[in-house]
Amino acid sequence: MPAESILPPALWLGKPYYSLDAYLKSVYGHKCYKIALDAQMTCPNRDGTLGSRGCLFCSAGGSGEYAVPGDHISQQLAAGLALFGKKQIGQHFIAYFQAYTNTYAPTDKLRSLYVQALEHPEVCGISIATRPDCLPEPVLELLEELRRAYPDKFIWIELGLQTIHEKTARLIRRGYELSCFEVAMGKLRLLGIPSIIHVILGLPGETPEDMRETITYLNSWQPFGVKLQLLHVLEGTDLAVLYRSGAFSALEKEEYLDILVSCLEQLSPDILVHRVTGDGPKKLLIAPAWSSDKRDVLNSLHRKMRLQNTWQGKCYQQHRYREHAWTSPEPDNSRPDNFGPGSSQPVPN
């Protein structure tokens, strides 16, 4: 049944959804900031393994335009910390391996990169952006090794699902089937490694109902978090060519907010919302222009949800979307989930 009688918990700190910011403040007692890193990776959609042009929407920087400069991870972290100057901030930062596919390299190289971040005294954990088809057994074994070696720091894996609809997945050149995502999710779950799933709202040809179906599907997996990303049309992408040809239109602001609110209403209240819009680099952004004012987008979202008296999970229905293609034995309960210090993830009351 829809959770219509459940009001947003105090844990959400006044927002109509369970934000990453609220979660981190509940764990650390203050705001934590991300430092975006560029580990000089590539992607099977770029190096010729699956293709050479990348996903339809992906920029030449592999979504890493906000990464700080530096030849080594330690240098990038130092440069990232310096950007805050004398600003009064907390003592914890998240090292975000953002650009391209950050498990797509030999394990010795990956170990060196991850350890540089985990060893930093002000880093509370690492978040690793990658693809479901780039989590081979040696990489999973490395993640398990580091999870045990750094029990006071977290390791999160971010997977770019974008959509559950195979027609759209082919259009955007995602390069893997939904069953691949399911196998990866099952393996991460067995290891107790939290997953954050990227979903793009506004992909060409998708209806609002298509997007809500993706959310309903994710509810059945109950990942640690989701990122709801507005589709940005960026210069230099094949998506830009398609857009300029008139093949599709970018979402208008109110249209996006309507879709976003409906997706949040369906999303399980136990799933952290890591993002509700995204930042298209202004020097590359073609459309939608309104998205460049992120503060206005967030304020408009909060105002709309308040006026509609709605919140994340208001229409959540707790049922399985379908049987997953990948099955596993019962998880090993002796392994604590690596959400952060300690062994459990705070959930709304």
Side-chain angles (χ1 to χ4, degrees), residues 260-304:
L260 180 57
V261 169
S262 70
C263 286
L264 287 170
E265 287 177 330
Q266 284 195 211
L267 183 67
S268 165
D270 293 336
I271 299 175
L272 285 180
V273 178
H274 288 239
R275 179 183 295 165
V276 291
T277 175
D279 295 299
K282 291 185 179 181
K283 64 181 180 180
L284 299 178
L285 183 64
I286 298 173
W290 57 263
S291 68
S292 62
D293 190 345
K294 185 176 179 180
R295 183 181 297 275
D296 175 68
V297 176
L298 292 174
N299 288 341
S300 298
L301 171 64
H302 297 165
R303 186 183 310 112
K304 186 180 189 71

Side-chain angles (χ1 to χ4, degrees), residues 94-259:
I94 300 170
Y96 180 25
F97 290 85
Q98 182 178 27
Y100 290 106
T101 305
N102 290 278
T103 59
Y104 192 53
T107 52
D108 285 345
K109 177 180 178 179
L110 295 177
R111 179 181 288 104
S112 174
L113 293 169
Y114 302 159
V115 167
Q116 285 184 65
L118 289 166
E119 285 288 334
H120 196 287
E122 293 182 80
V123 167
C124 56
I126 62 176
S127 198
I128 304 167
T130 188
R131 297 166 53 95
D133 56 350
C134 292
L135 287 171
E137 289 303 321
V139 170
L140 292 170
E141 291 169 4
L142 172 61
L143 295 174
E144 169 70 350
E145 170 194 325
L146 295 176
R147 189 182 71 82
R148 293 184 179 277
Y150 296 90
D152 294 330
K153 299 194 176 186
F154 59 77
I155 298 173
W156 298 339
I157 290 292
E158 303 197 18
L159 298 177
L161 175 63
Q162 321 309 358
T163 179
I164 64 167
H165 301 288
E166 297 293 355
K167 181 179 179 181
T168 311
R170 289 192 295 272
L171 172 66
I172 64 175
R173 300 196 299 263
R174 189 179 66 186
Y176 66 84
E177 295 184 352
L178 188 60
S179 58
C180 176
F181 170 81
E182 293 174 345
V183 169
M185 286 292 287
K187 291 181 176 180
L188 290 171
R189 177 171 291 178
L190 279 180
L191 292 176
I193 296 175
S195 58
I196 301 160
I197 313 306
H198 292 221
V199 173
I200 296 180
L201 303 179
L203 288 168
E206 289 213 342
T207 65
E209 181 58 30
D210 291 332
M211 300 174 220
R212 287 191 291 269
E213 285 179 358
T214 294
I215 298 301
T216 300
Y217 171 82
L218 289 182
N219 283 338
S220 70
W221 277 106
Q222 287 291 304
F224 173 59
V226 298
K227 286 186 174 180
L228 302 176
Q229 167 75 53
L230 166 67
L231 179 68
H232 289 127
V233 182
L234 301 181
E235 196 67 67
T237 64
D238 286 349
L239 184 67
V241 176
L242 201 63
Y243 175 75
R244 285 177 170 139
S245 75
F248 79 100
S249 299
L251 293 175
E252 297 295 337
K253 178 182 170 183
E254 286 305 315
E255 187 180 12
Y256 176 70
L257 290 176
D258 285 342
I259 293 170

